[in-house]
Amino acid sequence: MAQTIIEAAATHYAYGKQVQTRALRDLTRLWVAVDRNNILDSWQAQLGSATLIVAQAQQAVAEDSIEYSAAVLEAQDAPAPEHQVLAAGFAGIAYPLGDQLRRPIGLEDSIASPAYKTLRAIGHGYTVDRSMGIGLDNLLLRSQMQIADASRQAEGVAMATPPVRMHYVRMLNPPSCSRCAILAGRTYRAQEAFRRHLGCDCRHIPVSEALAGEMTTDPYRYFNSLSPEDQDKYFKPTDAQAIRDGADIFQVVNAQSETYTTEGGALATYYGTTRRGYWGSLQETRNRQGKERYGVAIRERLMPEEIYKRSNGNREQSLRMLEDYGYITGLGQNPEGVVRGPGVGYLGGRKPSYSLDPATGSWTAASRNVTD
């Protein structure tokens, strides 16, 4: 059952990419015809055609999303939707780019933006050729996102109409960035929108509540499927090396979200440094200050990049430091995650019993099988 749904999702995604490719090809033809001596007015003259291309692509993927959702429901013997979903309602809309809410604008206004971006690039001293390239990149990226979001929104509405509780499972479309890799397999309620970055092409697989637990994804399997060169490309060289050396992929990737440079010039992270975090719970902490919610470790938590820099090629030292700073946990590399702070974490719905080894300063989980 799960494999059948995954195959259907892959087919649905492939069709969406075909629609996107055709639309981006037609948009490129319009953009290269822009008069470089009169960029703004020239693109304004093409704006109606460009907006129509995106809107038609939005409707095409929305129609496929509605049909795909119905097929997935049928495959799971779920009740049919109680209401008809119209694909046209998802076309001609400018969806917010990225995962932050911004002031809503019309689709035509969104498609007009690349011309202004091009003019700003020229104003900053870029050549006209380079500036036109920047504008084209922006046009294709925002159009790709608008088309993909029309598909996502149509799926969300279609899956909200059946009289049965549905969930979404996040599916990767490799190659994927490190942030998406660790979110793969995460389950969401049907009404929730998942966070994505610009250019993100992850999809949600709609599944019934009973099947959601079967749709899991192993970020380590994805990581190991990449060549060392691609591991370095999508995870950063030092982060990829840390994972190859046995570090927990979630600790490594999440640490990137809160990096800073210390007064001494070292690269460090705030991630996991509070009393509730895995690494912070093992450290001496100070009381919270200002707007801080929890006490924070007095000691700075170095990033893997800084660790490898300081170990200067000494593998034994780098491994010791990776463990010292909470990247190698002693709990193995579990695709479901091994730590969320002391005494917290789940495996198959069971809460493991954590204990602190005074000799090593490491947490162990009695109910968990440690993997090599």
Side-chain angles (χ1 to χ4, degrees):
M1 173 73 74
Q3 186 59 35
T4 300
I5 295 174
I6 292 176
E7 291 172 354
T11 301
H12 171 53
Y13 170 76
Y15 173 75
K17 293 302 289 185
Q18 290 176 4
V19 173
Q20 284 186 5
T21 299
R22 288 196 298 267
L24 300 186
R25 178 198 61 200
D26 294 342
L27 289 169
T28 300
R29 289 175 179 171
L30 292 179
W31 183 260
V32 297
V34 166
D35 183 356
R36 300 186 176 205
N37 295 318
N38 190 10
I39 293 173
L40 189 57
D41 290 343
S42 181
W43 183 240
Q44 285 289 337
Q46 303 273 30
L47 201 52
S49 298
T51 304
L52 181 61
I53 289 171
V54 176
Q56 288 176 336
Q58 286 179 318
Q59 180 161 346
V61 296
E63 288 172 350
D64 191 65
S65 293
I66 295 168
E67 293 181 7
Y68 159 70
S69 300
V72 168
L73 288 171
E74 183 178 354
Q76 299 177 70
D77 295 324
E82 297 178 332
H83 305 283
Q84 182 181 7
V85 181
L86 300 178
F90 302 94
I93 297 174
Y95 299 96
L97 301 178
D99 58 12
Q100 296 180 353
L101 294 177
R102 295 181 173 86
R103 178 181 63 84
I105 61 175
L107 181 59
E108 186 170 290
D109 290 336
S110 178
I111 303 302
S113 296
Y116 295 98
K117 194 172 187 68
T118 300
L119 294 176
R120 284 196 297 270
I122 293 174
H124 283 94
Y126 289 95
T127 65
V128 174
D129 284 345
R130 175 60 178 149
S131 300
M132 289 293 292
I134 292 172
L136 177 60
D137 287 344
N138 183 260
L139 172 64
L140 299 184
L141 178 60
R142 67 175 52 245
S143 299
Q144 175 190 357
M145 291 292 290
Q146 299 296 356
I147 296 168
D149 273 351
S151 176
R152 294 185 183 111
Q153 294 291 333
E155 285 178 32
V157 172
M159 298 313 298
T161 56
V164 62
R165 181 186 289 273
M166 299 298 295
H167 288 69
Y168 276 141
V169 177
R170 186 165 181 153
M171 182 182 75
L172 291 180
N173 289 300
S176 301
C177 71
S178 59
R179 288 295 308 165
C180 290
I182 66 172
L183 292 174
R186 178 171 292 188
T187 302
Y188 302 80
R189 291 191 298 272
Q191 290 81 7
E192 290 180 337
F194 70 99
R195 296 172 64 87
R196 78 276 195 278
H197 56 80
L198 285 174
C200 173
D201 61 355
C202 290
R203 303 301 295 248
H204 270 176
I205 304 177
V207 294
S208 65
E209 185 176 21
L211 191 61
E214 299 180 23
M215 306 285 285
T216 58
T217 304
D218 186 344
Y220 293 105
R221 181 177 297 177
Y222 167 67
F223 178 83
N224 291 326
S225 72
L226 301 174
S227 66
E229 292 75 19
D230 282 342
Q231 289 174 352
D232 292 348
K233 176 180 178 181
Y234 295 112
F235 285 79
K236 292 183 59 177
T238 50
D239 288 359
Q241 185 59 50
I243 298 169
R244 289 192 289 263
D245 283 341
D248 180 78
I249 193 171
F250 302 96
Q251 291 290 317
V252 170
V253 174
N254 286 331
Q256 289 288 343
S257 63
E258 300 182 51
T259 60
Y260 68 98
T261 302
T262 68
E263 292 182 0
L267 187 62
T269 181
Y270 291 115
Y271 176 77
T273 60
T274 70
R275 292 170 183 167
R276 294 176 62 87
Y278 164 70
W279 183 79
S281 66
L282 305 176
Q283 310 301 311
E284 181 183 355
T285 57
R286 59 167 172 75
N287 293 329
R288 62 182 183 180
Q289 299 174 0
K291 296 182 179 180
E292 293 176 352
R293 188 174 180 182
Y294 305 109
V296 179
I298 296 173
R299 187 180 174 209
E300 295 161 339
R301 187 184 190 188
L302 300 182
M303 290 290 293
E305 180 177 338
E306 187 69 27
I307 289 173
Y308 284 111
K309 179 181 177 181
R310 294 192 179 192
S311 60
N312 196 27
N314 186 318
R315 177 171 169 76
E316 291 185 2
Q317 181 180 351
S318 64
L319 293 178
R320 285 197 302 270
M321 293 182 69
L322 285 170
E323 183 171 2
D324 184 29
Y325 286 97
Y327 298 105
I328 295 179
T329 66
L331 299 175
Q333 291 181 319
N334 191 306
E336 297 183 10
V338 293
V339 291
R340 296 178 184 174
V344 181
Y346 293 86
L347 178 61
R350 294 182 289 109
K351 187 173 181 179
S353 173
Y354 281 89
S355 60
L356 178 64
D357 184 346
T360 63
S362 298
W363 290 93
T364 58
S367 63
R368 217 180 265 282
N369 292 324
V370 179
T371 58
D372 294 332

